[in-house]
Amino acid sequence: MMNFQTRLYELRRRAGLSQEGLADLLGVTRQAVQKWEAGASRPDMDNLCALAKYFSVSLDWLVTGAEPEQAPPVRAAERRREYEYRSRARLFGLPLVHIHIGEGMCCARGVVAIGNVAAGAVAVGGMALGAVSLGGLSAGLLLGAGGLAAGTCAVGGLAVGALAWGGVSLGWLAVGGVSMGTYAAGGVALGREIAVGRVAAAALAIGEQAEGLQAIPLDGSVPLARIHQAIRQSCAGAPGWLAELLCFLAGR
């Protein structure tokens, strides 16, 4: 394996340079180059760098004879694709409209907010929080709608609210595939006061399979007028629309 002085000699010879010619290029004496090639001395760092640059070799190879390990190519950072709009008009210190959607955690906060994560009076997003919210995961003071929804009125795959409608719903009034609440209606309905469904359990249970203090089967054996009367009696003191809704659901 060649040593430093041999590598320097071979590089100079291949370039067709004399010791004096190389010395002139580096701004040193011919005697200095002679000593380098004889192994009597070594160039300083500035001259080593100049030699490596002139002969187009790596500094590592020139000094040690070993090429440095190649680092994997650095990929240019991919620009995250996103869109953001923020209105100049403001209300209560918040932008009237803030839209921020794209890759990653794009958050929007405004009176009307639309984003991957959104918070506002009206919020729309993957995760939404607001008076009225719509999203995969939504929580609304008045209305929440989404895959998982919570609010005074909640609509979703899983809905939790005073008024809840969904695949699985929990609320004062719950309507859905599986519903649980004070008043419940659905495929499987579990209620404290009234339950209307294929399978129903409550103080007043109305269904194909009904279980409760008062159980009314939905097989045509009980007149619809009697079912409606029982619902209205059990809804005494509740809003009138509630009795009418349950009568409608029981009489479909």
Side-chain angles (χ1 to χ4, degrees):
M1 184 175 178
M2 291 188 295
N3 53 27
F4 168 74
Q5 52 265 39
T6 305
R7 285 190 294 274
L8 179 57
Y9 168 76
E10 287 295 331
L11 289 170
R12 179 179 63 78
R13 185 181 62 81
R14 291 173 189 174
L17 287 171
S18 64
Q19 288 183 344
E20 188 173 357
L22 181 57
D24 289 341
L25 288 172
L26 297 176
V28 297
T29 65
R30 182 186 65 80
Q31 288 78 9
V33 175
Q34 186 180 32
K35 288 181 179 180
W36 296 344
E37 292 184 356
S41 67
R42 282 211 175 188
D44 60 20
M45 183 57 70
D46 288 341
N47 284 321
L48 283 171
C49 292
L51 286 166
K53 183 176 181 181
Y54 179 78
F55 291 120
S56 299
V57 296
S58 72
L59 187 59
D60 280 352
W61 182 85
L62 180 63
V63 174
T64 67
E67 289 289 354
E69 292 184 6
Q70 290 187 350
V74 179
R75 294 182 180 178
E78 295 183 2
R79 184 177 180 182
R80 193 174 74 173
R81 286 173 285 187
E82 64 180 273
Y83 169 79
E84 184 171 16
Y85 167 78
R86 196 190 306 262
S87 67
R88 293 184 179 180
R90 304 181 76 85
L91 185 64
F92 306 119
L94 294 174
L96 191 60
V97 177
H98 186 192
I99 302 172
H100 193 189
I101 55 178
E103 299 176 350
M105 189 68 71
C106 296
C107 301
R109 186 168 176 265
V111 177
V112 176
I114 302 173
N116 294 17
V117 178
V122 177
V124 180
M127 296 177 60
L129 174 65
V132 176
S133 64
L134 173 63
L137 174 60
S138 64
L141 181 62
L142 300 178
L143 172 64
L148 176 59
T152 302
C153 296
V155 180
L158 173 60
V160 180
L163 306 178
W165 190 302
V168 177
S169 57
L170 308 172
W172 176 74
L173 170 61
V175 180
V178 177
S179 57
M180 291 174 280
T182 302
Y183 303 94
V188 176
L190 306 175
R192 185 167 63 86
E193 297 293 335
I194 301 175
V196 179
R198 184 172 182 178
V199 177
L204 171 60
I206 303 167
E208 295 179 17
Q209 299 180 41
E211 183 176 343
L213 294 176
Q214 184 178 2
I216 301 176
L218 278 177
D219 56 5
S221 61
V222 179
L224 194 58
R226 181 183 166 188
I227 294 175
H228 289 179
Q229 180 182 11
I231 290 173
R232 291 188 176 99
Q233 287 176 347
S234 295
C235 286
W241 60 265
L242 175 62
E244 296 308 313
L245 175 60
L246 292 173
C247 286
F248 169 77
L249 293 173
R252 288 186 301 174

